Amino acid sequence: MTSVISSAVRTIRIGSRKSQLALVQTYWVQEQLQKSFPDISFEVHTMSTQGDKILDVALAKIGDKGLFTKELEVGMLNHEIDFAVHSLKDLPTNLPEGLALAAITERENPADALVVHEKHKDKQIDTLPAGAVIGTSSLRRLAQLRHQFPHFTFKDVRGNLNTRLAKLDAGEYDALILAAAGLERLGMSDRIHQVLSKEVSLHAVGQGALGIECRADDTELISILKAIEHTETRDRCLAERAFLRDLEGGCQVPIGVNTEINGDNLTLTGIVASVDGQKLVKDTVTGQANNAEALGTELANLLRQQGAQEILEEIFTEIQRGS
């Protein structure tokens, strides 16, 4: 598309978390925009978020909405930065007043991946021994895997990717479940032992895509950011985010999705599960891709009729109790 911008030279400040993965993602966005708009200066500014600072507590127990985004959003509203690059799965579905999701980039592999300790290199997830210690910080992964593999032992794991892998290699875990996209973006594809199928684990809403957030009234910047938007990824992710938003679940609630586009049709599958894996509801809807958000709402209503709301309310109560 052709973007119309003012003739005045503009410096645009990009906000990013300080983590290695966040910076890799942000520098990629900077590079793509610099190619499209060589006369504009794009500068990267880093910030630490609450999620980066608290590494010794399970994510579900310290809150989830805005855990990795709030400080960046404050920076935008205070005009310290112009836009922020997020892993879309970390971006809440309800944004602060004055901010907008301006663009969604082409998605990397959204699937979850199994990474194993060397001693299990001949195993797949369904052949790991009973009692194997599986590390994950995601309630979504935990609930789905407990449902299918109740004989495993699950243990929370925090820290950046290198820290998690070091703990695995030191023998604290038999395997980790991580996002394939993160490993691929950091050049660690060789650590992916098995990409988990959608039958084993539906991925997180927005996983594998980047969300570009900016001030809603900066129409010139929104025009610029649209240059790196990927239409198919946008439709898939808008459907997923509408599904999550309508169920009022944050990123640390056991809600998983899968989306596929075939021609003009979008198929959305969603799951809601209890943390112990005992209760699980799952369904699928198909419709026009250009009606993505309505499909997300339709699926949320279907799962609510099947008991999803009761499952989520139980989870919210458990989290509030600190259990």
Side-chain angles (χ1 to χ4, degrees):
M1 66 178 285
T2 301
S3 297
V4 179
I5 60 173
S6 66
S7 58
V9 175
R10 180 175 179 182
T11 296
I12 295 177
R13 299 156 300 175
I14 311 172
S16 173
R17 291 169 56 202
K18 294 181 179 180
S19 76
Q20 183 185 7
L21 178 57
L23 286 171
V24 165
Q25 294 173 167
T26 300
Y27 287 136
W28 179 85
V29 168
Q30 180 191 39
E31 180 184 6
Q32 301 311 304
L33 288 171
Q34 201 68 73
K35 287 178 183 176
S36 298
F37 303 96
D39 295 330
I40 298 177
S41 174
F42 295 93
E43 299 178 350
V44 174
H45 296 251
T46 60
M47 298 180 178
S48 293
T49 67
Q50 184 185 17
D52 297 312
K53 296 171 184 174
I54 305 175
L55 297 175
D56 57 350
V57 180
L59 290 176
K61 294 184 179 181
I62 55 176
D64 46 62
K65 294 183 180 179
L67 192 60
F68 294 104
T69 62
K70 184 176 180 181
E71 286 79 2
L72 292 165
E73 291 175 331
V74 170
M76 281 182 280
L77 292 171
N78 290 339
H79 290 257
E80 297 166 7
I81 56 175
D82 296 304
F83 74 88
V85 178
H86 306 290
S87 291
L88 188 58
K89 68 181 179 64
D90 293 332
L91 186 63
T93 55
N94 291 305
L95 303 184
E97 185 176 353
L99 298 179
L101 178 56
I104 299 174
T105 67
E106 185 170 6
R107 192 173 220 164
E108 298 283 347
N109 186 350
D112 291 329
L114 176 73
V115 181
V116 299
H117 187 276
E118 174 71 13
K119 66 185 178 183
H120 296 305
K121 63 182 179 180
D122 60 335
K123 302 287 195 306
Q124 296 284 283
I125 192 163
D126 56 351
T127 57
L128 286 169
V133 178
I134 312 297
T136 177
S137 60
S138 162
L139 291 186
R140 171 189 57 81
R141 293 170 181 150
L142 178 64
Q144 292 184 86
L145 294 175
R146 274 180 170 163
H147 181 74
Q148 297 199 56
F149 307 105
H151 54 283
F152 291 156
T153 298
F154 294 94
K155 184 178 175 183
D156 193 65
V157 58
R158 292 292 315 279
N160 63 37
L161 200 51
N162 287 323
T163 298
R164 296 183 195 196
L165 292 172
K167 290 178 179 180
L168 171 70
D169 295 338
E172 291 185 39
Y173 304 86
D174 291 291
L176 302 178
I177 309 295
L178 302 168
L183 290 162
E184 291 170 354
R185 286 193 175 114
L186 289 177
M188 298 180 181
S189 298
D190 59 315
R191 294 303 305 259
I192 297 177
H193 185 71
Q194 179 187 4
V195 174
L196 301 184
S197 70
K198 61 184 180 182
E199 288 73 31
V200 172
S201 181
L202 292 185
H203 59 75
V205 166
Q207 187 159 301
L210 304 182
I212 315 297
E213 186 183 20
C214 72
R215 289 182 293 276
D217 61 358
D218 195 340
T219 55
E220 182 180 84
L221 178 55
I222 292 172
S223 171
I224 291 169
L225 296 173
K226 287 297 182 186
I228 60 171
E229 181 157 79
H230 187 253
T231 302
E232 180 177 314
T233 301
R234 178 198 65 203
D235 290 343
R236 292 172 63 187
C237 290
L238 288 180
E240 296 171 12
R241 285 172 64 81
F243 170 65
L244 179 62
R245 182 171 55 247
D246 281 30
L247 286 174
E248 299 180 349
C251 64
Q252 282 303 308
V253 171
I255 293 177
V257 293
N258 183 74
T259 45
E260 298 173 3
I261 287 185
N262 184 10
D264 294 332
N265 288 328
L266 186 152
T267 298
L268 170 65
T269 299
I271 194 171
V272 175
S274 59
V275 178
D276 61 10
Q278 296 296 308
K279 301 175 184 176
L280 184 150
V281 292
K282 180 179 181 181
D283 215 326
T284 299
V285 296
T286 298
Q288 291 290 305
N290 60 10
N291 203 25
E293 292 189 276
L295 284 173
T297 297
E298 180 185 345
L299 183 59
N301 289 334
L302 275 176
L303 292 195
R304 196 176 283 112
Q305 292 167 15
Q306 297 171 34
Q309 201 64 46
E310 289 76 9
I311 294 173
L312 291 173
E313 286 172 1
E314 288 176 11
I315 294 167
F316 294 145
T317 299
E318 289 175 15
I319 292 173
Q320 289 169 358
R321 289 174 179 167
S323 58

